């Protein structure tokens, strides 16, 4: 146990990998049990915010006087738990995170969302905290805002990440359909052909709008062709052209997805 404790204190996450054995858990719990209440409160915030934790965040949420904050941080560093506002080992981080009750998690996530909003921080980060804080509708709205923000700045991969979360977590069928439509086009612009093919194929089946269906088939045609499935590509072209004729829309197929 002494050797394990020493290793946990002296090594970093990059150089040490230990299983969560009973002995290791005992060492960790003994160490955490010696902390003051303020230090334990800071650790909970550090675990929830990881890797975006900083001492200012803890000070704002806990409404700590700067002196009290410094003392608690020195205590945590002195006990070998935090170093430069980071857990010195993943096992310590995991143990603290597991000890946080669900009501406390919800409260902290919402407080963090409010804090990061005051800083005009990353919209995706704010949305993630809102979601974990039980505010699903607000999280979905913020993910959509983030997706638009990233798309306008030529960051399709970041936009895709936000849209995927909307599609996965929204309970509104209209919003999910719009997210799927944007995903198909963004996969297309990013050259992610397999995902584009899948999203466009689903969109073509579920959308009630003929123009959106035609756009989906156009994306499906290109992605199928890029993947070497020329038969499916030609079939999708014909389906898109048929839909455009039905709605009397004279539009080049590529204009639908560019």
């Amino acid at each position: 146990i002494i050797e394990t404790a020493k290793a946990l204190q002296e090594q970093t996450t990059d150089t040490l990998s230990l299983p969560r054995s009973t002995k290791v858990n005992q060492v960790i719990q003994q160490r955490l049990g010696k902390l003051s209440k303020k230090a334990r409160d800071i650790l909970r915030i550090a675990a929830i915010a990881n890797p975006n934790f900083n001492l200012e965040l803890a000070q704002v949420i806990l409404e700590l006087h700067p002196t009290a904050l410094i003392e608690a941080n020195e205590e945590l560093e002195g006990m070998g738990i935090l170093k430069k506002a980071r857990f010195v080992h993943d096992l310590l981080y995991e143990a603290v995170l597991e000890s946080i009750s669900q009501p406390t998690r919800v409260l902290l996530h919402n407080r963090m969302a409010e804090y990061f909003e005051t800083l005009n921080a990353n919209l995706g980060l704010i949305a993630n905290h809102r979601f974990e804080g039980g505010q699903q509708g607000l999280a979905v709205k913020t993910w959509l805002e983030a997706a638009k923000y990233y798309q306008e700045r030529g960051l399709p991969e970041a936009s895709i990440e936000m849209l995927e979360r909307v599609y996965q977590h929204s309970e509104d069928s209209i919003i999910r359909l719009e997210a799927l439509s944007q995903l198909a086009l963004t996969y297309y612009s990013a050259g992610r052909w397999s995902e584009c093919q899948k999203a466009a194929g689903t969109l073509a089946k579920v959308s009630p709008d003929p123009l959106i269906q035609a756009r989906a088939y156009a994306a499906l045609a290109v992605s199928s062709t890029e993947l070497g499935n020329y038969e499916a590509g030609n079939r999708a072209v014909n389906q898109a052209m048929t839909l455009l004729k039905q709605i009397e829309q004279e539009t080049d197929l590529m204009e639908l997805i560019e």
Side-chain angles (χ1 to χ4, degrees), residues 226-247:
E226 290 288 344
L227 292 170
N229 192 339
Y230 301 109
E231 182 179 348
N234 289 331
R235 189 163 56 247
V237 168
N238 292 333
Q239 290 168 314
M241 295 300 296
T242 299
L243 285 165
L244 291 176
K245 288 180 181 179
Q246 289 176 357
I247 59 176

Side-chain angles (χ1 to χ4, degrees), residues 42-192:
I42 290 174
L43 276 186
R44 294 187 185 100
I45 294 171
I48 293 293
N50 185 59
N52 300 294
F53 174 69
N54 59 66
L55 292 179
E56 180 186 338
L57 171 62
Q59 182 179 8
V60 171
I61 291 180
L62 297 174
E63 300 179 351
L64 288 176
H65 188 277
T67 301
L69 178 69
I70 292 171
E71 290 176 350
N73 183 57
E74 289 178 346
E75 178 184 353
L76 290 167
E77 291 198 345
M79 291 288 289
I81 297 174
L82 291 186
K83 184 177 182 180
K84 295 182 179 180
R86 295 291 178 267
F87 284 93
V88 300
H89 197 282
D90 285 344
L91 295 180
L92 291 167
Y93 159 69
E94 292 167 2
V96 173
L97 188 63
E98 290 171 4
S99 72
I100 304 173
S101 68
Q102 184 60 24
T104 300
R105 288 173 186 251
V106 169
L107 175 63
L108 290 178
H109 276 297
N110 282 314
R111 293 294 303 276
M112 289 177 195
E114 293 168 1
Y115 169 79
F116 288 120
E117 281 179 342
T118 65
L119 301 179
N120 293 319
N122 181 296
L123 287 171
L125 173 64
I126 295 170
N128 292 343
H129 280 300
R130 287 298 186 197
F131 179 76
E132 296 297 337
Q135 300 190 59
Q136 183 172 339
L138 189 54
V140 167
K141 179 181 177 182
T142 310
W143 278 325
L144 286 171
E145 292 174 1
K148 181 180 179 182
Y149 174 89
Y150 293 134
Q151 193 66 38
E152 290 174 347
R153 284 156 180 78
L155 301 169
E157 295 297 336
S159 182
I160 285 170
E161 182 181 353
M162 299 297 100
L163 291 170
E164 287 177 337
R165 292 181 183 180
V166 171
Y167 186 68
Q168 179 181 0
H169 296 295
S170 178
E171 296 179 351
D172 187 313
S173 59
I174 296 177
I175 291 177
R176 292 185 79 247
L177 188 62
E178 176 60 25
L180 182 62
S181 178
Q182 291 184 41
L183 269 174
L185 295 178
T186 311
Y187 285 141
Y188 171 85
S189 65
R192 291 169 58 167

